[in-house]
C-alpha cells in the first residue's frame, strides 16, 4: 500500500525535454501558498478518485462547469461553497461588481478578506514570497522598458494585467509602483475581496478588477504591456476550450503600453499551451510576460507533493499533480510557439531557518521566467 | 504649556480633494456632500466620519508616517527618509509639543556647553554623513577623541584603548544633544519633504481592524475605509490619520503605552549626575573610572570643556547636587585621581608579553602607561541628576506601529551607547521602509516592520546584556571579584584581538561582541 502516489508522466502532449539542470538544492513552498488558497475556496475532502483535470476544476474554483450553451461573457456563477460563512445572498451579488456594496456583503467579504490579507495568517508563505518576486519583476521590467529603478513609481505609464490575481496580493504593490493594473480572476469571490482591500488605499483603488479569464480578455481584444501569471486559479476548462480556437488580434484600444503577469497559474491550467497563447495575445508587441510556476523535477516532487501534502500537511492531498508541472525548457518552448522569447529565469529558494525567500539560480523547484514579445517591424 | 494653533500650511495643496474611493462607496450617486462640509478646523473630529460617502475631507488626507516625538531619534528617522530618493515623497507628520521644532533655536559658539551630551560612535557618524547632516554638526562645538582609559578604584589594573588599534582615527565624537537635534532639523529643512509639525501631545490612538464592521450605520463604510489607517488624536483636539505610527517619544513613551506593548526591565538603584566642567588644558581622551558606587566618566566636549557623568546611589547623588561648587570640583578631582584607591601600576614591559602568542599585531596602546586625567578647574553648568533604569520593550512592532530609540529600550549610560542604539534603530527603519517602497509594499504592513525588528532586536539585546553585565559586576566590592575584574582589565589591555573586538563592538561596527 503506497503512502503517496508515484510520479507519472504527463498525460497531455507536452514536449518533454530532459530536465538535466535540476539537481540543485532548494525547497519549494509554492505548494504551501496554493494550499492556503485552496483552503480558502473549498474544503477538500478527498480527491483521490477523481480525474485530475476535473478534480483541478473543482478544487480551485468551487464552481460548476457551466454547460456549453452558457453565455461566454458572463462570469461563471459560483456554487455555494462549504466554507463558512454560508453564502447568503450570493446570487444577488453577482450581477454588479462592487459599486454599491451592501452591508452584509461588506461584512462577509471583510471577514474573508482578512484571511487573504493577514500576512501572518493562512497565506503567510504567499506574503513572504511576494517581495522577492516583486523584486524580480521590478528589476526585469525596469530594464526592459528603460525605466529608472530609483524612483518610488518606476512603472508609471505601464499597463499591467495580473492573470489570476486572487486577493490582489501582487496587483496592489504593482499599482503602488505606479502601474495601471487590471486584475483578472475567474473566481468572483476573489475579485470582491481584492476590490474591497484595494479600496483602502487611494493608490491601489484604481486597480480594475474583472472576473473573467485570459481567453475572454483576448476575445475582447485587450492588450497590455506586461502579462503576469503568478499563483492563479484558473480553471474553467470548458471556457478555455471554447475560446482557444478564436484568438484574434484586435486593435489595442489603449495607447499606453501594458504589461501582463501570470504567476503560479500555469500548473493548474488544463492546457498550458493554449493558456500561453492567450497570454501572448494579451501582450502588446514589445511587451513582457512574467510567468512563475513549479518545475517538474524529482526535487519538486519531493518538496511540493510529498513534503507539503503528505508529511507536513501544508496542502490538501491532490492539490498538485506532478504531471502538470512544467519544466523550464517546456515553458520556454511553449512560449516560443506563441512568439514569446524567454529572456531571464530565476528560481525561488526558501531559507528554512529565516523563512525568507531568495532569488537564486536554482530553478529546480519554484521558478519565475521573464519573457518578451517581439516588437513589430 | 502653550497650545499653538495647528499648522495647516501644507494642506492648502490638498484643498481640492481627489477622492477616488468615492466610486466604490457612493450609495445613491454623488449626492453626498460634493465638497467637504467644513474646511477642517481643529477639534471637529466628527465631521470626518459623518460624511456620507466616508471619504476624507480635504484637510485630512492621511499621512504615510506619523513620528510621535521629535527628539534626536525621531528627527534622525525623518531626516533619513527625506534624503533618500525612494522615500522622500512620503508625507510625514511630526507630533511633538517642543517649541524648538517649530522655531529653530540658534546655538552660538560662545554659549557654554549644555550638560546633555551624547557620544556618537563612528557608525552613527557615518549614518549622519550619508544623510548629509554631519556637516551641520561640524559647524558647532564637537569633540573627537581617539583615546580612552578605563580603570577602577582598586588600582589593580587599567585598560587603554586607542583608535589606532583598529587603524582608525577616532573612537567617537562627543556632541551636545541640542547640536545633534538642530543639525538634523537643518538637514530636513534643506530637503523639500512634505512634513507637518503638530505641536501638541498625543492623547489617543485608534487602530481600525479591517474586518470590524461597527454597529451604527453611517460609520460602517467609513470605518472600513479607515481599515488601513491609524487615527491619532492630539491633546489640543486635532487628529490625523496615518498608515504607520512611529513611536520615538522616549523612555516614557505614550505610543508604547497606548499600543499596549509590554516591557521588561528594572530600576538600577543609581542616579546619574551630569554637568559640564572646565580644565586649564585641552582634553582629547575619554576617561572612565569605576568607583564603588558607580562609574564616573569624563568626556571631552571641546574648547577645554568636558562633560561629567557620575553614577552613584540616590542619596549620594542628592548630596553632591546640593553641595557648593568648589566642594563638588574637589570631589570630582578626587574621584578621578586618588580618591577611593591607588593608581594602577603602569606596565613598562616592552613589545612582547606573554599574550603575544594569540596573534595579530600588538596594539599600540599596550605600551601606554597609566595617565592621570586632567584636573577640573571649575564647574561650567548646573548639575542635574536623574534615575537610571533598564527597559526593553518585548516587541518593537505591532500592526502599523513601530518603536524606535528610547521608547523601545533604555540602557545604563556607562558606555555611552544609548542614543547610538536609537540612531541605529532610526536609520535601519528608514532603510527598511525604503526597501518596502521599492517593492510597492504598504509601509504599515507588519511583515515589513518585522524585518526591522529582526535586525535591531538582537543587536539591542546583546548590547543591553553587555552593559547590564558590566553594571552588575562593578557594583560589588568583593575581594576575589576585584581580582577577577583586574584580570579582565589586563586581558583587555594586553590581548590584542580582544581589544580590537571590544573597540569594534563599541564603535558600532560589529553586531555582536566577540564574534567578528
Amino acid at each position: 500500500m503506497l503512502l503517496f502516489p508515484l510520479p507519472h508522466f504527463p498525460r497531455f502532449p507536452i514536449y518533454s525535454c530532459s530536465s538535466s539542470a535540476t539537481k540543485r538544492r532548494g525547497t519549494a513552498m509554492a505548494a504551501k501558498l496554493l494550499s492556503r488558497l485552496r483552503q480558502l475556496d473549498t474544503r477538500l475532502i478527498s480527491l483521490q478518485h477523481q480525474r485530475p483535470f476535473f478534480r483541478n476544476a473543482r478544487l480551485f474554483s468551487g464552481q460548476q462547469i457551466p454547460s456549453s450553451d452558457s453565455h461566454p461573457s458572463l462570469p461563471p456563477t459560483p456554487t455555494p461553497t462549504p466554507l463558512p460563512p454560508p453564502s447568503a445572498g450570493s446570487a444577488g451579488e453577482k450581477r454588479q461588481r462592487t459599486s454599491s456594496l451592501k452591508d452584509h456583503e461588506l461584512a462577509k467579504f471583510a471577514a474573508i478578506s482578512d484571511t487573504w490579507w493577514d500576512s501572518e495568517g493562512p497565506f503567510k508563505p504567499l506574503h513572504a514570497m511576494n517581495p522577492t518576486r516583486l523584486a524580480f519583476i521590478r528589476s526585469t521590467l525596469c530594464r526592459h522598458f528603460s525605466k529608472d529603478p530609483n524612483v518610488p513609481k518606476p512603472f508609471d505609464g505601464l499597463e499591467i494585467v495580473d492573470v489570476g490575481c486572487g486577493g490582489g496580493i501582487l496587483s496592489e504593490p504593482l499599482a503602488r509602483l505606479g502601474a495601471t493594473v487590471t486584475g483578472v480572476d475567474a473566481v468572483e469571490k476573489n475579485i470582491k475581496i481584492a476590490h474591497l482591500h484595494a479600496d483602502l488605499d487611494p493608490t491601489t483603488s484604481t486597480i480594475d478588477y474583472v472576473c473573467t479569464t485570459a481567453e475572454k480578455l483576448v476575445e475582447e481584444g485587450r492588450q497590455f504591456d506586461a502579462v503576469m501569471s503568478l499563483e492563479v486559479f484558473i480553471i474553467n476548462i470548458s471556457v478555455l476550450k471554447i475560446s482557444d480556437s478564436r484568438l484574434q488580434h484586435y486593435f489595442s484600444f489603449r495607447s499606453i503600453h501594458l504589461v501582463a503577469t501570470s504567476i503560479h497559474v500555469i500548473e493548474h491550467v488544463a492546457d498550458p499551451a493554449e493558456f500561453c497563447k492567450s497570454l501572448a495575445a494579451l501582450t502588446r508587441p514589445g511587451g513582457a510576460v512574467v510567468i512563475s510556476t513549479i518545475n517538474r523535477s524529482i526535487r519538486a516532487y519531493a518538496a511540493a507533493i510529498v513534503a507539503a501534502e503528505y508529511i507536513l500537511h501544508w496542502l490538501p492531498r491532490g492539490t498538485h499533480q506532478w504531471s502538470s508541472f512544467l519544466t523550464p525548457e517546456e515553458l520556454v518552448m511553449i512560449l516560443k510557439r506563441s512568439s514569446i522569447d524567454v529572456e531571464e529565469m530565476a528560481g525561488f529558494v526558501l531559507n528554512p531557518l529565516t523563512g525568507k525567500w531568495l532569488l537564486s539560480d536554482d530553478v529546480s523547484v519554484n521558478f519565475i521566467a521573464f519573457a518578451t514579445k517581439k516588437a513589430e517591424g | 504649556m502653550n497650545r499653538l494653533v495647528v499648522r495647516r500650511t501644507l494642506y492648502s495643496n490638498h484643498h481640492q480633494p481627489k477622492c477616488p474611493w468615492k466610486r466604490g462607496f457612493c450609495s445613491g450617486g454623488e449626492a453626498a456632500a460634493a465638497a467637504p462640509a467644513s474646511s477642517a478646523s481643529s477639534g471637529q473630529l466628527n465631521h470626518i466620519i459623518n460624511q456620507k460617502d466616508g471619504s476624507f475631507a480635504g484637510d485630512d488626507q492621511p499621512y504615510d508616517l506619523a513620528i510621535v516625538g521629535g527628539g534626536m531619534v525621531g528627527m534622525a528617522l525623518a531626516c533619513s527618509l527625506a534624503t533618500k530618493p525612494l522615500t522622500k515623497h512620503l508625507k510625514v507628520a511630526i507630533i511633538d509639543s517642543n517649541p524648538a521644532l517649530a522655531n529653530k533655536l540658534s546655538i552660538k559658539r560662545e554659549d557654554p556647553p549644555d550638560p546633555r551630551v551624547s557620544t556618537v560612535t563612528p557608525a552613527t557618524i557615518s549614518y549622519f554623513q550619508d544623510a548629509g547632516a554631519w556637516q551641520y554638526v561640524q559647524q558647532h562645538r564637537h569633540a573627537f577623541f581617539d583615546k580612552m582609559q578605563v580603570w577602577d578604584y582598586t588600582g589593580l589594573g587599567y585598560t587603554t584603548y586607542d583608535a589606532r588599534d583598529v587603524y582608525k582615527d577616532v573612537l567617537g565624537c562627543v556632541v551636545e544633544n541640542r547640536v545633534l537635534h538642530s543639525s538634523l532639523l537643518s538637514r530636513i529643512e534643506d530637503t523639500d519633504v512634505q512634513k507637518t509639525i503638530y505641536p501638541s501631545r498625543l492623547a489617543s490612538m485608534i487602530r481600525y481592524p479591517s474586518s470590524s464592521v461597527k454597529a451604527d450605520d453611517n460609520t460602517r463604510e467609513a470605518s472600513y475605509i479607515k481599515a488601513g489607517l491609524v487615527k491619532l488624536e492630539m491633546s489640543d483636539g486635532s487628529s490625523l490619520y496615518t498608515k504607520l505610527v512611529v513611536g520615538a517619544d522616549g523612555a516614557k513613551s505614550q505610543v508604547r503605552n497606548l499600543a499596549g506593548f509590554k516591557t521588561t526591565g528594572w530600576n538600577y538603584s543609581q542616579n546619574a549626575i551630569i554637568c559640564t566642567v572646565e580644565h586649564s588644558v585641552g582634553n582629547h581622551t575619554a576617561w572612565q573610572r569605576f568607583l564603588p558606587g558607580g562609574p564616573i566618566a569624563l568626556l571631552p566636549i571641546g574648547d577645554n570643556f568636558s562633560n561629567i557623568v557620575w553614577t552613584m546611589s540616590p542619596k549620594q547623588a542628592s548630596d553632591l547636587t546640593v553641595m557648593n561648587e568648589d566642594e563638588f570640583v574637589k570631589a570630582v578631582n578626587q574621584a578621578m585621581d586618588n580618591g577611593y584607591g591607588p593608581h594602577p601600576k603602569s606596565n613598562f614591559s616592552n613589545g612582547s608579553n606573554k599574550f603575544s602568542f594569540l596573534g595579530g599585531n600588538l596594539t599600540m596602546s599596550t605600551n601606554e602607561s597609566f595617565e592621570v586625567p586632567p584636573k577640573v578647574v571649575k564647574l561650567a553648568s548646573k548639575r542635574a541628576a536623574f534615575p537610571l533604569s533598564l527597559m526593553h520593550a518585548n516587541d518593537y512592532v505591532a500592526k502599523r506601529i513601530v518603536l524606535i530609540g528610547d521608547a523601545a529600550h533604555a540602557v545604563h549610560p556607562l558606555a555611552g551607547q544609548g542614543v547610538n542604539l536609537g540612531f541605529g534603530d532610526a536609520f535601519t527603519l528608514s532603510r527598511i521602509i525604503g526597501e518596502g517602497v521599492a517593492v510597492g509594499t504598504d509601509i504599515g504592513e507588519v511583515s515589513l516592520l518585522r524585518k526591522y525588528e529582526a535586525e535591531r532586536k538582537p543587536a539591542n539585546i546583546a548590547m543591553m546584556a553587555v552593559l547590564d553585565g558590566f553594571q552588575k559586576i562593578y557594583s560589588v566590592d568583593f575581594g576575589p571579584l576585584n581580582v577577577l575584574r583586574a584580570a579582565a582589565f589586563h586581558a583587555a589591555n594586553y590581548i590584542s584581538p580582544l581589544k580590537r573586538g571590544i573597540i569594534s563592538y563599541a564603535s558600532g561596527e560589529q553586531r555582536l561582541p566577540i564574534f567578528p
Side-chain angles (χ1 to χ4, degrees):
Chain A
M1 172 91 160
L2 286 175
L3 293 174
F4 44 79
L6 287 174
H8 54 276
F9 286 102
R11 294 181 190 191
F12 46 84
I14 287 186
Y15 302 90
S16 59
C17 317
S18 63
S19 47
S20 55
T22 54
K23 306 267 188 273
R24 275 176 271 191
R25 305 205 169 277
T27 52
M29 299 308 161
K32 210 165 138 192
L33 317 178
L34 294 165
S35 71
R36 307 297 185 217
L37 299 174
R38 303 297 174 282
Q39 282 165 11
L40 177 72
D41 271 341
T42 58
R43 292 264 186 247
L44 303 172
I45 305 153
S46 164
L47 304 158
Q48 312 271 348
H49 305 295
Q50 291 173 338
R51 286 181 319 148
F53 300 138
F54 184 71
R55 175 174 69 206
N56 286 352
R58 276 287 310 275
L59 251 184
F60 314 134
S61 62
Q63 305 167 1
Q64 288 168 347
I65 311 292
S67 53
S68 54
D69 56 358
S70 62
H71 196 289
S73 60
L74 268 185
T77 60
T79 54
T81 64
L83 238 203
S87 56
S90 47
E93 302 157 2
K94 302 304 166 294
R95 296 296 162 262
Q96 21 166 265
R97 270 200 297 120
T98 48
S99 49
S100 56
L101 282 173
K102 306 280 184 298
D103 289 340
H104 64 267
E105 266 184 53
L106 195 66
K108 182 171 121 183
F109 285 107
I112 308 179
S113 161
D114 249 1
T115 352
W116 259 98
W117 280 98
D118 182 7
S119 57
E120 314 264 323
F123 290 95
K124 185 167 173 183
L126 187 61
H127 285 277
M129 203 196 233
N130 208 27
T132 320
R133 57 191 192 180
L134 276 163
F136 178 84
I137 293 171
R138 182 194 166 93
S139 76
T140 48
L141 289 184
C142 280
R143 208 173 320 130
H144 179 70
F145 291 104
S146 310
K147 301 276 186 184
D148 179 11
N150 283 327
V151 296
K153 289 187 191 267
F155 294 162
D156 235 339
L158 287 182
E159 285 183 3
I160 304 191
V161 65
D162 183 6
V163 179
C165 57
I169 292 182
L170 182 72
S171 311
E172 287 197 15
L174 289 176
R176 282 199 197 98
L177 290 174
T180 312
V181 181
T182 305
V184 165
D185 199 285
V187 179
E188 177 79 23
K189 194 187 307 190
N190 290 345
I191 294 292
K192 287 252 171 74
I193 292 172
H195 200 96
L196 262 180
H197 193 270
D199 275 340
L200 295 178
D201 185 350
T203 31
T204 54
S205 56
T206 54
I207 300 178
D208 183 21
Y209 285 112
V210 190
C211 181
T212 175
T213 62
E215 289 68 25
K216 295 223 191 82
L217 277 186
V218 172
E219 281 170 37
E220 290 172 24
R222 303 196 43 181
Q223 283 204 322
F224 301 89
D225 275 334
V227 174
M228 308 261 152
S229 171
L230 290 85
E231 241 19 275
V232 150
F233 285 114
I234 281 185
I235 323 0
N236 196 327
I237 297 168
S238 62
V239 172
L240 283 175
K241 286 196 180 137
I242 289 173
S243 63
D244 64 12
S245 57
R246 292 193 278 155
L247 298 176
Q248 303 174 32
H249 292 273
Y250 294 109
F251 290 115
S252 42
F253 55 81
R254 283 187 213 204
S255 54
I256 319 168
H257 286 260
L258 300 173
V259 181
T261 59
S262 170
I263 298 201
H264 265 292
V265 173
I266 194 164
E267 70 262 23
H268 300 286
V269 170
D271 188 356
E274 294 303 326
F275 179 67
C276 284
K277 277 223 190 93
S278 310
L279 294 184
L282 282 176
T283 317
R284 290 191 173 233
V289 178
V290 182
I291 296 184
S292 114
T293 182
I294 309 181
N295 195 349
R296 191 179 69 246
S297 65
I298 298 296
R299 189 174 297 280
Y301 177 76
I305 296 184
V306 174
E309 293 181 17
Y310 290 89
I311 297 179
L312 298 166
H313 299 290
W314 286 326
L315 272 168
R317 296 181 183 188
T319 302
H320 276 124
Q321 186 72 6
W322 188 77
S323 56
S324 49
F325 289 167
L326 285 177
T327 64
E329 293 85 358
E330 286 166 6
L331 183 64
V332 169
M333 282 190 34
I334 294 177
L335 288 173
K336 222 179 169 91
R337 277 156 189 272
S338 318
S339 333
I340 305 266
D341 304 314
V342 173
E343 289 186 8
E344 275 189 58
M345 203 178 281
F348 287 130
V349 163
L350 176 69
N351 179 342
L353 299 175
T354 59
K356 288 200 173 72
W357 288 90
L358 300 165
L359 285 172
S360 85
D361 284 333
D362 177 9
V363 293
S364 63
V365 193
N366 287 63
F367 68 97
I368 186 167
F370 167 77
T372 53
K373 189 172 185 179
K374 274 196 255 306
E376 266 160 17
Chain B
M1 182 161 321
N2 290 333
R3 298 261 187 266
L4 302 178
V5 173
V6 173
R7 229 199 266 171
R8 301 265 192 198
T9 47
L10 289 177
Y11 284 131
S12 51
N13 303 335
H14 298 294
H15 223 77
Q16 303 310 317
K18 303 184 276 288
C19 295
W21 312 347
K22 271 191 183 171
R23 74 178 169 89
F25 287 83
C26 259
S27 47
E30 285 69 35
S38 56
S39 60
S41 51
S42 59
Q44 300 220 0
L45 303 173
N46 292 331
H47 82 278
I48 299 165
I49 296 181
N50 285 339
Q51 296 235 168
K52 285 227 181 63
D53 55 12
S55 56
F56 283 97
D59 276 11
D60 290 298
Q61 294 292 336
Y63 288 95
D64 293 307
L65 219 83
I67 303 180
V68 181
M72 288 191 286
V73 177
M75 288 299 101
L77 176 66
C79 178
S80 178
L81 289 174
T83 52
K84 298 211 305 262
L86 278 174
T87 48
K88 61 183 182 195
H89 67 290
L90 295 175
K91 286 170 54 184
V92 178
I94 301 167
I95 300 172
D96 194 322
S97 49
N98 181 2
L101 281 182
N103 331 305
K104 260 178 29 121
L105 302 168
S106 64
I107 304 172
K108 294 196 236 343
R109 191 90 191 196
E110 309 82 56
D111 291 347
D114 197 58
R116 281 167 305 201
V117 304
S118 306
T119 315
V120 283
T121 57
T124 307
I125 295 176
S126 68
Y127 282 137
F128 269 66
Q129 283 169 336
D130 288 341
W134 190 251
Q135 50 181 330
Y136 296 105
V137 174
Q138 287 172 320
Q139 292 167 6
H140 295 101
R141 187 187 295 115
H142 63 289
F144 287 101
F145 62 94
D146 56 354
K147 264 187 56 181
M148 183 160 163
Q149 180 175 288
V150 184
W151 73 110
D152 70 350
Y153 64 95
T154 57
L156 294 172
Y158 71 100
T159 314
T160 330
Y161 300 101
D162 197 316
R164 282 166 295 197
D165 296 343
V166 287
Y167 315 112
K168 295 259 166 44
D169 290 327
V170 294
L171 284 178
C173 186
V174 185
V175 193
E176 293 160 63
N177 288 354
R178 61 182 181 177
V179 168
L180 286 171
H181 194 226
S182 78
S183 46
L184 288 166
L185 279 176
S186 309
R187 182 64 183 130
I188 295 178
E189 297 290 327
D190 276 355
T191 64
D192 52 1
V193 69
Q194 285 174 293
K195 72 175 195 324
T196 316
I197 299 177
Y198 283 78
S200 58
R201 296 170 48 90
L202 181 66
S204 77
M205 190 161 66
I206 306 171
R207 260 183 294 183
Y208 290 92
S210 41
S211 63
S212 84
V213 186
K214 307 240 178 15
D216 47 317
D217 243 333
N218 58 352
T219 63
R220 198 189 300 245
E221 290 173 0
S223 56
Y224 189 72
I225 271 195
K226 292 161 188 54
L229 302 170
V230 181
K231 179 177 180 194
L232 296 177
E233 284 166 11
M234 260 60 73
S235 49
D236 66 354
S238 54
S239 70
L240 61 88
Y241 289 85
T242 178
K243 288 193 195 142
L244 176 64
V245 177
V246 178
D249 41 355
K252 299 186 195 53
S253 166
Q254 179 76 318
V255 171
R256 193 184 67 223
N257 292 336
L258 289 175
F261 285 105
K262 300 234 183 329
T263 62
T264 318
W266 44 84
N267 284 326
Y268 295 122
S269 52
Q270 286 177 331
N271 287 7
I273 296 185
I274 54 170
C275 60
T276 316
V277 297
E278 202 172 342
H279 305 287
S280 48
V281 294
N283 175 21
H284 299 286
T285 310
W287 312 89
Q288 178 149 307
R289 188 182 190 204
F290 286 92
L291 303 175
I296 176 169
L298 187 75
L299 304 166
I301 313 184
D303 301 340
N304 290 2
F305 287 107
S306 287
N307 183 266
I308 298 250
V309 180
W310 193 353
T311 309
M312 61 191 73
S313 69
K315 167 112 188 11
Q316 285 174 301
S318 51
D319 287 345
L320 276 165
T321 319
V322 300
M323 67 167 59
N324 74 28
E325 296 197 358
D326 295 325
E327 297 271 339
F328 181 76
V329 165
K330 220 188 290 183
V332 167
N333 281 329
Q334 268 218 310
M336 296 299 302
D337 201 349
N338 268 314
Y340 304 93
H343 288 167
K345 291 199 200 30
S346 300
N347 170 52
F348 289 118
S349 75
N350 43 18
S352 64
N353 59 43
K354 38 187 175 315
F355 292 112
S356 51
F357 69 88
L358 279 166
N361 299 321
L362 202 59
T363 53
M364 285 199 54
S365 51
T366 318
N367 290 335
E368 292 185 29
S369 54
F370 176 79
E371 287 175 22
V372 180
K375 282 222 169 331
V376 171
V377 164
K378 77 180 185 69
L379 196 60
S381 78
K382 289 205 189 15
R383 289 156 277 176
F386 51 92
L388 301 177
S389 61
L390 179 82
M391 185 273 299
H392 188 251
N394 294 349
D395 282 300
Y396 292 178
V397 314
K399 202 147 185 261
R400 307 207 169 270
I401 300 180
V402 62
L403 299 178
I404 58 174
D406 272 1
H409 43 75
V411 298
H412 197 278
L414 65 84
Q417 294 292 337
V419 79
N420 292 297
L421 294 179
F423 283 131
D425 289 351
F427 289 102
T428 303
L429 182 63
S430 119
R431 197 189 82 235
I432 299 272
I433 289 180
E435 288 171 9
V437 169
V439 286
T441 327
D442 178 4
I443 56 174
E445 264 300 318
V446 81
S447 50
L448 183 70
L449 302 175
R450 290 262 172 232
K451 277 204 256 180
Y452 151 78
E453 188 184 33
E455 208 172 307
R456 288 307 300 173
K457 222 190 204 182
N460 290 342
I461 290 183
M463 178 64 81
M464 289 172 63
V466 167
L467 296 179
D468 195 51
F470 271 117
Q471 194 274 339
K472 293 211 162 22
I473 290 177
Y474 280 100
S475 53
V476 179
D477 182 15
F478 178 54
L481 192 59
N482 293 351
V483 174
L484 221 67
R485 293 197 305 239
F489 274 124
H490 281 110
N493 206 17
Y494 300 123
I495 302 180
S496 308
L498 179 62
K499 184 185 279 196
R500 287 204 191 89
I502 293 175
I503 297 179
S504 299
Y505 183 60
S507 303
E509 277 153 43
Q510 241 167 254
R511 269 197 48 187
L512 297 171
I514 306 203
F515 304 109

